[in-house]
Amino acid sequence: MRAVQPTILSTFVGNRLLQSAQPLHQLFSYNPGSKHVSMQLSKRFSGLTNLLFNGRNADKFLNTKRKRLRPGKISPHRPVPDHIPMPPYVKSKKPPGIASGPEVHDEKGIECMRASGKLAAHVLEFAGTLVKPGIKTDEIDQAVHQMIIDNGAYPSPLGYGGFPKSVCTSVNECICHGIPDSRALEDGDIINIDVTVYLNGYHGDTSATFFCGDVDDEGRKLVQVTKECLDKAISICAPGVELKKIGKTIQEHADKYRYGVVRQFVGHGVGRVFHADPVVLHFRNNESGRMVVNQTFTIEPMLTLGSCNPVMWDDNWTVVTEDGSLSAQFEHTILITEDGAEILTRC
């Protein structure tokens, strides 16, 4: 696999490797031939990582009765009224990467962030009510798209680096960036719905994993623990706290259940731009950086039952687990306050 410059993958990039101003010593690479997204680490650490995380519980999923995901038919682009302001990247059709510098806001900016976060939360809550056997993920996209534009906002994913839809719908083994299509949800599925809205010049970003019908205990437990990882990570956030404590907190909790923690996709600063510093790693790391008052960023851990090796589909967006094991994710946008953290994307 070819080496690349130090890069990270935001949780919304597809095969587009984003340059980060933050000096990460981890190297990620993407091999278009194999569709694997991987992290280049030292030989010693790479072997330890593979032993502890990539191979965990992998054999048990080789003969799973659950059908693997397959691409469905993607409907035409949905229009957005001309009076709704769109993010600058839509016209350029190029992902802007991660902007240098954190998103730190004045009082007006904080109120705008609260508004965009609140709308994103309500849209996500509504989307969750649609989850049931038989509904197509494209129908969820249609409903989400309509609710966002009815509220005078732009669906941030639409047109980001060419992404064709207004929301991400990641089912079962899909780690992230699932494109809504003609596939109908089935009883027992789990689905992550990732909503981002652009309102009054500010992005609000959130996601949750929902149950479709009768989900087995294994899937329910994975979803529960993933949500707990997010909650525990948010609980330690406050001014002056090292960002690396987020990854430590998530990893420690996931390890108790032998779940994999996906490393190639990260949280990020969010606000006037979709993706900004800091890079928020969800696993143990030694990266520098501390939280500051009035800063906004996302925390969005992705956990897996088995291998946490991600494989990308030919659409250059959809990322699935290598062994077909289930993956779950939860995400909030938070604001660092004087005495802790405020969740901006909670209803």
Side-chain angles (χ1 to χ4, degrees), residues 25-36:
H25 56 251
Q26 287 84 359
L27 299 180
F28 297 94
S29 66
Y30 163 60
N31 187 324
S34 70
K35 293 298 176 182
H36 280 68

Side-chain angles (χ1 to χ4, degrees), residues 174-241:
C174 185
I175 295 171
C176 57
H177 305 161
I179 300 175
D181 61 21
S182 60
R183 182 190 183 275
L185 294 181
E186 299 177 3
D187 185 62
D189 284 347
I190 63 173
I191 175 174
N192 176 269
I193 301 177
D194 193 337
V195 172
T196 312
V197 304
Y198 183 68
L199 178 66
N200 298 324
Y202 290 78
H203 298 270
D205 191 1
T206 186
S207 85
T209 300
F210 300 94
F211 301 128
C212 181
D214 185 17
V215 175
D216 62 29
D217 291 342
E218 194 171 49
R220 286 181 176 274
K221 189 65 175 178
L222 173 68
V223 172
Q224 175 190 329
V225 172
T226 306
K227 176 64 165 57
E228 290 170 356
C229 282
L230 174 61
D231 292 342
K232 287 178 180 293
I234 293 173
S235 73
I236 60 96
C237 292
V241 173

